[in-house]
Amino acid sequence: MAALCRGAARLTLPICQIRQGLYRGYSAGSSFQYILVERKGQSQNVGFIQLNRPKALNALCDGLINELNQALDSFESDPQVGAIVITGSEKAFAAGADIKEMQNRTFQDCYGGSFLAHWNRVSSARKPVIAAVNGFALGGGCELAMMCDIIYAGEKAQFGQPEILLGTIPGAGGTQRLTRAVGKSLAMEMVLTGDRISAQEAKQAGLVSKIYPADKVVEEAISCGEKIARNSKLIVSMAKESVNGAFELSLAEGNKLEKRLFYSTFATEDRKEGMTAFVEKRKANFTDQ
């Protein structure tokens, strides 16, 4: 499905560029081999991560995932960043996991070493993560997109879990998140046949929220990130936690979680500022407190 992680250009930034905002949170000399990272938006408040293994159609090797996790950690600790966008290229968001890295693994390797456990970092991010998907989002690529909170797709994007064709099954949440997103029947069909669905089918099934021309997807995802980042980062995290609770809890327990988080907003300065600004007919000035 893809080649091993090697041969991608190494990107190292001088400290002056780090201070201007690229790779904020990293020490001088930080470098990435498989991703490009910067801050986007008019206020530089959207973290931007681009998968960068073009010859391998952005296949997800262990090195790429480790770098992705490092970038997420940096953006999570950056008080200026209110949302994060993950994208690939127009040809491929990510065409799957790097099969050559998996080919010779044994059961003992996988079970004893908790193989793929660190692939779930995106799903645990406290800040909202938006996937801007063009081209192939297959296997691990589809799973990575589904770990994000919002998926925007290009008109020619394709989603699928083709692991069955390789004699295995999804291992990074594919059978679980896909079923929750599109329902049992379509998820079962995709997982058991390996068939792909188009961006239009994905939107109709509820997997993606919006479709744009390929050259507009990233721009629109960043715009969405900017809109989110203008709100209180503290309250946004609470809202995200509450929505995610709907997938983990019963309706009764989910409503209890929502109420607790709702009550918690009344302990924040931003709730007070937001309601006061509304009453005074002015724009709220959130301080994330």
Side-chain angles (χ1 to χ4, degrees):
M1 186 174 291
L4 284 170
C5 274
R6 60 169 68 99
R10 179 171 292 277
L11 183 61
T12 304
L13 291 179
I15 193 168
C16 62
Q17 285 181 286
I18 296 172
R19 287 173 177 164
Q20 289 169 0
L22 297 180
Y23 302 125
R24 184 183 176 93
Y26 290 92
S27 60
S30 291
S31 61
F32 292 108
Q33 190 171 359
Y34 309 117
I35 62 175
L36 303 175
V37 181
E38 60 182 301
R39 291 194 313 204
K40 295 277 192 178
Q42 293 182 351
S43 300
Q44 294 287 287
N45 56 3
V46 178
F48 184 77
I49 302 171
Q50 182 173 10
L51 311 184
N52 188 38
R53 293 189 69 207
K55 292 183 179 179
L57 295 178
N58 292 328
L60 304 176
C61 62
D62 201 56
L64 186 153
I65 294 297
N66 286 332
E67 291 184 356
L68 175 63
N69 292 348
Q70 291 173 33
L72 286 168
D73 289 342
S74 178
F75 285 139
E76 287 264 78
S77 64
D78 187 338
Q80 188 171 339
V81 170
I84 301 164
V85 170
I86 298 177
T87 193
S89 65
E90 284 199 15
K91 190 172 184 179
F93 176 73
D98 196 318
I99 302 305
K100 289 185 179 179
E101 279 194 343
M102 298 185 188
Q103 184 179 6
N104 295 318
R105 284 187 177 270
T106 65
F107 165 77
Q108 290 82 356
D109 291 336
C110 295
Y111 189 81
S114 298
F115 183 47
L116 300 186
H118 63 301
W119 285 42
N120 288 322
R121 174 65 183 88
V122 174
S123 64
S124 65
R126 292 180 61 83
K127 295 180 179 180
V129 183
I130 305 164
V133 177
N134 270 316
F136 303 117
L138 307 176
C142 187
E143 290 171 314
L144 176 61
M146 291 190 293
M147 290 179 202
C148 299
D149 301 300
I150 299 169
I151 303 178
Y152 281 4
E155 291 173 328
K156 296 183 179 179
Q158 296 182 35
F159 298 84
Q161 299 290 161
E163 289 87 350
I164 199 75
L165 305 177
L166 302 177
T168 187
I169 69 172
T175 62
Q176 304 303 299
R177 291 190 176 92
L178 186 63
T179 305
R180 285 166 168 77
V182 306
K184 178 182 176 181
S185 181
L186 180 55
M188 193 71 80
E189 181 182 13
M190 291 173 66
V191 169
L192 298 186
T193 66
D195 287 349
R196 308 170 187 175
I197 60 173
S198 67
Q200 292 73 22
E201 290 171 314
K203 184 177 186 303
Q204 185 177 10
L207 183 60
V208 306
S209 57
K210 292 182 181 177
I211 299 175
Y212 293 100
D215 60 349
K216 297 292 184 182
V217 178
V218 173
E219 175 186 330
E220 294 293 342
I222 293 170
S223 178
C224 178
E226 288 184 285
K227 188 179 297 184
I228 292 170
R230 286 195 288 269
N231 296 317
S232 164
K233 298 177 183 63
L234 183 63
I235 305 302
V236 163
S237 291
M238 291 182 181
K240 173 176 173 173
E241 180 182 352
S242 189
V243 173
N244 280 335
F247 291 92
E248 306 291 339
L249 305 169
S250 67
L251 179 59
E253 289 300 316
N255 279 330
K256 289 179 182 178
L257 172 65
E258 181 186 84
K259 284 292 189 296
R260 287 195 295 270
L261 290 168
F262 170 67
Y263 297 154
S264 297
T265 67
F266 284 78
T268 70
E269 293 298 322
D270 283 343
R271 192 283 314 168
K272 182 178 180 181
E273 165 62 13
M275 291 189 177
T276 300
F278 178 83
V279 171
E280 295 178 354
K281 295 181 172 57
R282 61 175 175 82
K283 185 179 179 180
N285 180 29
F286 295 122
T287 59
D288 306 322
Q289 299 292 324

